Amino acid sequence: MIEQLVEQADLVNPALIIAGDVVSRAPAESWFEKLPLFGKKNSIYHRKTFFF
């Protein structure tokens, strides 16, 4: 059932699904949307090659 709801909502990774009684606290949980880099895509690169 959850798979169908995800497809209908067109969710993409990364996604966070909150279920249960905590849903009533949703406005308090949206702190990450206020961060300065929210919604931005960043790339980090380094010239040095790492070997493991």
Side-chain angles (χ1 to χ4, degrees), residues 9-37:
D10 197 29
L11 294 178
V12 295
N13 286 329
L16 178 64
I17 299 173
I18 301 174
D21 296 336
V22 296
V23 173
S24 63
R25 299 182 59 189
E29 300 298 328
S30 63
W31 58 270
F32 54 88
E33 293 178 0
K34 297 175 184 167
L35 294 175
L37 296 178

Side-chain angles (χ1 to χ4, degrees):
M1 171 119 182
I2 189 78
E3 294 89 0
Q4 295 169 346
L5 294 173
V6 169
E7 287 178 8
Q8 290 174 357
D10 197 29
L11 294 178
V12 295
N13 286 329
L16 178 64
I17 299 173
I18 301 174
D21 296 336
V22 296
V23 173
S24 63
R25 299 182 59 189
E29 300 298 328
S30 63
W31 58 270
F32 54 88
E33 293 178 0
K34 297 175 184 167
L35 294 175
L37 296 178
F38 178 76
K40 308 251 186 211
K41 295 182 180 182
N42 296 305
S43 296
I44 300 173
Y45 68 93
H46 196 280
R47 291 184 193 178
K48 186 175 181 180
T49 303
F50 293 97
F51 295 101
F52 294 98

